[in-house]
Amino acid sequence: MSEQWTWKNPGAGSTGSLESLAKKLRDVESELDAGLTDLDRARRLFGNDWSGKAAEAAEAKAVAIGDDLTACLNAVQQVKNVIGPYVDEIVAIKAAAAPERAKRKAALARLQEEADPKEPLKYEDALREAGEANAELTKLGERRRRADDALLQAVRAAVATTWDVPPEDYPEDRDWFEDATYDYSMDHPLGFSSKEYTAKELMDLFKAHPEEVFPFDVAGSSDRFEDGAVFRLEDTLGPMVDLPFETGDVVVTTTDTSVKFTVISDTYFDGPGSTIEFSIVEVGGQYVLRKVAHATDANRIVAGGVGIGAGDTWSRQAENLKKVVHQYGN
């Protein structure tokens, strides 16, 4: 079994299994691409060489299969594309760590030797060199942690945008006090009726103005909420709170009337796989902004006060959406 990396040995572990996985993913990518090509050829039969109810049913099935294959292909490519850079980074860390580990080992060995009157600075020099080596290894350990986080986030994002996986089954690296679970659903009236807008029109405005709708900082790989976009949420517990777990990354999936966030980072107060879905729902002819959350591996402190805190946050979000609709809507 490959050795697990530590801060004293940040380059530990073999990359051979990942290189094998990258090769397998390339093979799968080729097979999926070939399958899509064959399916496209088969679909050319419809309308010209084959028509009628049976043909219409077969064509609908072919379209659904094509969509599934495309989603799988995108997920395979997403993971494959991050494995190569990850392996390169681990190889670089391993090479940089080797001389620092040797320097540290030699310095510690000198500290075990008996005092020598002819070398009064021997211990001082050894302590300095051990400290320098430890400092460099700590920097390399931070590089390793960032590389691991990036790889895990890419895998989680691929899973969230391709398959319906329960949050409890997501790979995670959480501390002992991050084991809470909570659920809630909240509606906030928007003051718009179905005679003024459709639910899709309101959600389109929600999707197009992330920074204006949310009452905390959001920034992502896109300037709007769209499938596969990754957003970083910051200061989510409020401007008066400064805690390390109030910032995290989510991946976005959408429908015509909803936007769902799935947590993909280990640093957030909700664990990887946790979700919150924002949707426009008609209730008695009037629209509400609905929030449905399911969190797992959540921070115990945050989970204990989530009802009060979330209610205030999402109330302000609804007010922000009202302003966006008034400014950019019909």
Side-chain angles (χ1 to χ4, degrees):
M1 184 176 177
S2 178
E3 180 185 0
Q4 297 294 313
W5 78 270
T6 65
W7 292 91
K8 293 181 179 179
N9 188 9
S14 171
T15 58
S17 59
L18 280 174
E19 291 169 339
S20 297
L21 175 59
K23 182 180 181 303
K24 180 61 178 176
L25 289 175
R26 288 194 293 270
D27 293 341
V28 172
E29 180 183 21
S30 296
E31 292 172 5
L32 287 171
D33 193 55
L36 282 168
T37 299
D38 290 342
L39 187 62
D40 185 60
R41 291 197 191 99
R43 288 177 60 185
R44 295 174 190 172
L45 293 171
F46 303 116
N48 297 323
D49 301 323
W50 187 21
S51 60
K53 291 185 177 180
E56 292 173 359
E59 184 177 16
K61 186 65 175 179
V63 170
I65 292 173
D67 290 343
D68 289 343
L69 288 178
T70 299
C72 289
L73 178 60
N74 290 338
V76 166
Q77 291 172 335
Q78 190 172 344
V79 175
K80 182 203 69 174
N81 289 342
V82 297
I83 288 179
Y86 176 80
V87 169
D88 291 342
E89 178 70 344
I90 302 309
V91 169
I93 291 172
K94 191 185 295 288
E100 299 300 334
R101 295 184 70 226
K103 179 179 177 180
R104 179 179 180 276
K105 182 178 180 180
L108 293 177
R110 293 209 308 277
L111 289 172
Q112 299 298 318
E113 298 173 358
E114 294 184 8
D116 186 345
K118 296 180 180 179
E119 297 183 74
L121 299 179
K122 182 179 73 172
Y123 287 142
E124 189 175 316
D125 290 342
L127 282 172
R128 176 181 52 78
E129 291 176 10
E132 291 172 350
N134 280 331
E136 290 303 314
L137 289 171
T138 298
K139 292 178 183 177
L140 292 170
E142 182 59 26
R143 277 180 63 181
R144 180 64 181 264
R145 185 192 64 77
R146 289 197 302 267
D148 286 358
D149 285 350
L151 180 65
L152 269 175
Q153 289 196 26
V155 171
R156 291 167 182 153
V159 169
T161 54
T162 309
W163 297 284
D164 186 15
V165 175
E168 291 76 13
D169 292 340
Y170 274 68
E172 51 83 16
D173 184 18
R174 306 285 278 176
D175 288 325
W176 63 269
F177 57 87
E178 297 172 314
D179 59 359
T181 299
Y182 66 82
D183 296 89
Y184 65 76
S185 178
M186 298 180 182
D187 286 352
H188 289 92
L190 293 175
F192 304 109
S193 73
S194 55
K195 295 180 180 179
E196 299 171 278
Y197 292 95
T198 65
K200 181 181 182 302
E201 288 171 337
L202 292 177
M203 181 49 64
D204 284 344
L205 291 168
F206 182 102
K207 293 174 181 176
H209 302 278
E211 295 182 4
E212 295 175 68
V213 167
F214 277 78
F216 47 77
D217 293 336
V218 296
S221 58
S222 171
D223 60 358
R224 60 180 289 115
F225 292 132
E226 58 187 2
D227 287 341
V230 174
F231 278 79
R232 169 151 290 194
L233 316 180
E234 297 186 8
D235 296 326
T236 53
L237 298 180
M240 303 303 293
V241 180
D242 186 17
L243 296 169
F245 48 74
E246 61 173 334
T247 295
D249 294 334
V250 298
V251 65
V252 174
T253 49
T254 72
T255 69
D256 282 349
T257 58
S258 70
V259 167
K260 180 188 283 187
F261 289 172
T262 301
V263 177
I264 59 174
S265 61
D266 281 302
T267 57
Y268 200 44
F269 57 76
D270 290 339
S274 299
T275 61
I276 182 167
E277 184 173 44
F278 309 95
S279 59
I280 304 296
V281 179
E282 182 185 347
V283 179
Q286 299 290 317
Y287 289 115
V288 299
L289 179 56
R290 177 167 294 171
K291 280 71 59 174
V292 178
H294 174 61
T296 185
D297 295 314
N299 181 285
R300 293 181 184 178
I301 298 173
V302 176
V306 71
I308 298 174
D312 176 68
T313 297
W314 301 137
S315 177
R316 287 186 285 127
Q317 180 198 45
E319 291 301 316
N320 289 346
L321 179 56
K322 291 179 187 179
K323 295 176 184 178
V324 165
V325 174
H326 285 305
Q327 182 172 356
Y328 302 106
N330 297 337

